[in-house]
Amino acid sequence: MKRTIIDNKQHAFRETTFSFISVLKVNKMLLSSMVIICIIATGLLGFTFGGISNGDTTTNALEASKTIRLDKDVMEQDLACLEIEKLDSERLNSTLKEKNTKIEEASATITETILGALMSNLESKSVANRSASVTNYVTEAKNMLVLSSKLASFKKTDKYDLIDLSTYESALDSHLAHIPTLKPIPGDFPGYGWRIHPVYRYKQFHAAADQGAAKGTPIRAAGAGYVVQSSYNGSSGNFIVINHGNGFVTTYMHCSVLLARAGQQVKKGDIIAKVGSTGTATCSHLHFAVSYNGSPFNPQKILIQ
């Protein structure tokens, strides 16, 4: 009986031991399988993620290539636009040059036409040699002054720069320059004609005009011309005589100082002397005489400037 119990215990132990060993074997096989599965899974994951990474790299490369092509296309389009703009600019400049040339030609034609008409009008108002006289010269001077006034008004407009009237202006000045129309000093220049001599008290024909002024007052040439005399004598004092080259001669007496010299060319308005009381004079004044072809006449007829 006792042996039977021992045998039963030994058998149970062997069964238990065998079962434990079997379990260990099974667990070892399962563990090995799990390790293998993990290795395979890791490989698959690596391959998968590696593939994804390579795919991303390939995608990025394709995108970069597309961007480069796009930038190249844009650059080519920009260059094409610049070329078109250049051609358009050249065509525009050519068109503007043509228009400017036509405008200049038209302006030249208009200027020539206007200048021709003005010069013709100027000549029609000028004194002809066959009709030269003091009266006609005075009329011419008045006409020139009217035309000069109109030209001065025209200069103030915005159209003056479009037409070159310098030739006309020079002609106007030239016609007017040698006619002694400018007052040598300010004033009315009375006293021409018969009078009682202020010093010698006899009746005389005074072929000049006298205008009182302070000593040293500047005396201007009544017109452009050639200084014939610049001298002194007991009656006239310091005096100047100017030949204006068209029959007119002017004389300036009793000057305190002579500034222009004999043989000198003077322009209309040039200061030639200063007022004084030299010679036979009772006070400081200018004795001014004008003659035409040797005959004296009243300065008041021609002093219109």
Side-chain angles (χ1 to χ4, degrees):
M1 182 67 177
K2 187 178 181 179
R3 183 176 181 83
T4 301
I5 293 170
I6 292 170
D7 290 337
N8 287 336
K9 286 181 180 180
Q10 289 178 350
H11 178 76
F13 177 76
R14 284 195 298 269
E15 289 291 334
T16 301
T17 302
F18 178 78
S19 298
F20 178 74
I21 292 170
S22 297
V23 169
L24 287 176
K25 287 182 179 180
V26 170
N27 287 338
K28 187 177 181 179
M29 290 178 64
L30 288 173
L31 181 61
S32 299
S33 299
M34 289 178 66
V35 170
I36 292 171
I37 290 170
C38 288
I39 292 172
I40 293 171
T42 302
L44 288 174
L45 288 172
F47 176 78
T48 301
F49 286 114
I52 291 172
S53 177
N54 289 337
D56 288 343
T57 302
T58 303
T59 301
N60 291 337
L62 289 174
E63 291 296 331
S65 177
K66 287 180 180 179
T67 301
I68 292 171
R69 285 200 301 271
L70 182 60
D71 290 342
K72 184 178 179 182
D73 291 341
V74 170
M75 185 179 295
E76 289 176 352
Q77 290 175 3
D78 288 343
L79 290 174
C81 289
L82 288 174
E83 191 65 27
I84 292 172
E85 289 177 0
K86 181 180 178 182
L87 292 173
D88 288 342
S89 177
E90 290 175 354
R91 282 195 292 267
L92 179 60
N93 289 336
S94 177
T95 302
L96 289 175
K97 285 180 180 179
E98 291 178 1
K99 288 183 178 179
N100 288 336
T101 301
K102 290 179 180 179
I103 290 172
E104 289 174 0
E105 291 175 352
S107 178
T109 302
I110 292 172
T111 299
E112 185 177 351
T113 301
I114 292 175
L115 183 59
L118 290 173
M119 294 298 290
S120 177
N121 180 60
L122 182 62
E123 292 302 320
S124 70
K125 296 181 181 301
S126 301
V127 174
N129 290 332
R130 62 181 180 276
S131 62
S133 67
V134 172
T135 300
N136 288 342
Y137 269 117
V138 171
T139 300
E140 177 183 7
K142 289 180 178 179
N143 289 334
M144 298 302 116
L145 289 173
V146 170
L147 295 176
S148 294
S149 177
K150 289 181 178 179
L151 180 60
S153 296
F154 180 68
K155 282 183 175 181
K156 296 177 182 178
T157 68
D158 55 357
K159 296 180 178 61
Y160 176 69
D161 293 334
L162 301 176
I163 303 174
D164 183 9
L165 296 180
S166 56
T167 302
Y168 175 67
E169 187 173 9
S170 296
L172 266 177
D173 293 341
S174 177
H175 277 279
L176 194 57
H178 293 270
I179 306 174
T181 57
L182 180 68
K183 289 182 179 181
I185 62 174
D188 297 330
F189 287 88
Y192 184 86
W194 290 98
R195 71 171 186 173
I196 301 298
H197 195 283
V199 176
Y200 301 113
R201 309 309 299 172
Y202 63 84
K203 190 176 182 179
Q204 69 163 166
F205 187 84
H206 187 239
D210 290 330
Q211 175 58 42
K215 182 180 179 180
T217 299
I219 300 171
R220 300 180 183 277
Y226 173 79
V227 178
V228 178
Q229 287 182 278
S230 178
S231 188
Y232 174 88
N233 65 44
S235 176
S236 303
N238 293 318
F239 70 97
I240 287 179
V241 179
I242 300 176
N243 187 334
H244 300 284
N246 48 6
F248 289 103
V249 175
T250 55
T251 303
Y252 313 77
M253 293 183 183
H254 307 305
C255 304
S256 61
V257 178
L258 301 178
L259 300 176
R261 303 302 175 196
Q264 182 179 338
Q265 291 284 345
V266 294
K267 296 178 181 179
K268 193 173 198 173
D270 282 353
I271 297 175
I272 57 173
K274 293 184 178 181
V275 171
S277 57
T278 58
T280 305
T282 57
C283 63
S284 179
H285 74 287
L286 172 64
H287 171 105
F288 178 66
V290 188
S291 65
Y292 179 69
N293 290 334
S295 299
F297 65 92
N298 191 342
Q300 288 185 344
K301 290 183 178 181
I302 199 166
L303 295 179
I304 58 178
Q305 283 182 279

